Amino acid sequence: MPNATEIKRVFKNHGLAPKKWMGQNLLADPFYLARIVEAAEVKPGEAIVEIGAGLGVLTEELAARGAVVYALEVDAGFFRVLEEKFEGSTVVRPIHADALKYDFRALAERIGKLRVVANLPYSISSRLIFAFHENRDIFSSLHILLQKEVADRLVAMPGTKDYGVLTVLLGVSGHVEVMFDIPAKAFFPVPEVVSSMVKITFPDVPPISVQDSRLLSKLVKASFAARRKTLRNALRSAPIEGISQEIVELAAETARIELGRRGETLSPREFTRFCDEMSGQGLKGDLTQERGSSARSS
C-alpha cells in the first residue's frame, strides 16, 4: 500500500515532480484508499474508468479488486510511470489522453456504460462534471474525489451561495451523495483543502422529467449568469436563442414563477416547470408563424 515516502521515491527515481497548477495531489493514505474502493463497490471483472491516474496508486488497488481499469493520464511523465508499472498487465489499460478531449462515447460503445472511480484533478473537476452530465447517457455512476467546496455546491440548497448551475442540472438528472470527507494530510503533496468522496448516478428515468434538457441547460446558465439580477433582467441580459421576452413572460405566468426572484432561489423542479412552459410557448409561436406563412403564400 502506498504512502508519502514511497511516492516521493517514485518521483525522485523518475525525475518527476507534481504540478500544482494541474491539481496533482496524489492519495497517499492506505486507510482512505481502501475506503474509497470499498465505497465504490468495485466488483471483479467490471470495467472502471480512472481519470487522472497519476502514479497508479488507486489504479493498483482497483486492479487488485479484480477490475479492468482504463487509466487516463495526460501528464507524459506520470504516463511513463504507469506504462512501466503495469507493463504486461492484463487488467490495466493506460491511456495517454486529456480527459476533457477524450472520446468517452467511443469507449462506451466498446465496453458498455461507464463507471468512473477517480481522484479528479482539482483544476478541471467542475469542467469534467459538466462533461459527464452532458454525456450522462453513457455513464452509470461516478465515484469521484473532489474539493469539499465543490462537493458542497453539488448538494447545496436553493438560495444559498453554493447553489449553482451544476446543483440544478444534477438535481434534475441524477442523484448526488457526499459520502465522506478526506483530510488534506491523506495526500501528497498536501493540498490546502479538504476533499470529499462523492457518488453521482444517472438513472435511466431521471428524478425530475423535463421536455427539453438542452433548453433547461440554457435557461439555468442564463439565470445564473448574473446572480444578483432578477430572472427578468438576467434573461434580458443573456437571452436564450429562440425564446423571446414575450415567451419568457407567458411561461413564467403559466408556471407560477415570479420573475422578480433571482435564479438562485428556484428549485430544480421550479426550473423544469418554467422550462417546460417555455418549450410549450415556443412551440405555439412556431406554429403561429407557420400558419401565418401558409396563409400569405396561399
Side-chain angles (χ1 to χ4, degrees), residues 172-221:
V172 171
S173 62
H175 298 291
V176 182
E177 178 187 355
V178 179
M179 305 185 78
F180 53 85
D181 293 338
I182 303 176
K185 65 181 181 181
F187 298 86
F188 178 82
V190 178
E192 298 176 356
V193 297
V194 173
S195 296
S196 297
M197 177 70 171
V198 177
K199 176 183 179 182
I200 302 174
T201 56
F202 297 112
D204 292 335
V205 178
I208 304 174
S209 63
V210 65
Q211 293 177 16
D212 188 336
S213 59
R214 290 186 179 181
L215 177 58
L216 176 66
S217 182
K218 292 176 182 178
L219 169 61
V220 175
K221 289 176 181 178

Side-chain angles (χ1 to χ4, degrees), residues 24-87:
Q24 293 177 334
N25 299 90
L26 309 181
L27 194 63
D29 187 305
F31 171 78
Y32 284 105
L33 179 64
R35 192 173 179 189
I36 289 164
V37 178
E38 287 292 339
E41 299 180 327
V42 177
K43 298 177 178 62
E46 74 172 328
I48 296 292
V49 177
E50 184 187 4
I51 296 168
L55 302 180
V57 172
L58 177 57
T59 316
E60 194 167 31
E61 185 63 16
L62 291 169
R65 300 297 178 101
V68 178
V69 187
Y70 293 81
L72 274 71
E73 178 53 56
V74 67
D75 185 284
F78 283 8
F79 184 71
R80 287 196 301 271
V81 174
L82 287 176
E83 285 191 309
E84 290 177 17
K85 189 171 188 175
F86 298 107
E87 185 179 7

Side-chain angles (χ1 to χ4, degrees), residues 4 12 30 43 49 54-55 147 149 153 173 187 206 211 232 266 269 272 289 295:
K12 183 178 180 180
K43 298 177 178 62
V49 177
L55 302 180
Q147 293 181 59
E149 64 181 47
R153 288 183 207 140
S173 62
F187 298 86
Q211 293 177 16
R232 180 177 285 106
L266 268 65
R269 196 169 294 278
T272 57
Q289 288 180 357

Side-chain angles (χ1 to χ4, degrees), residues 146-159:
L146 302 171
Q147 293 181 59
K148 181 173 174 56
E149 64 181 47
V150 176
D152 288 343
R153 288 183 207 140
L154 303 186
V155 293
M157 298 299 293

Side-chain angles (χ1 to χ4, degrees), residues 290-298:
E290 287 177 12
R291 288 168 185 159
S293 298
S294 298
R296 285 191 297 272
S297 62
S298 62

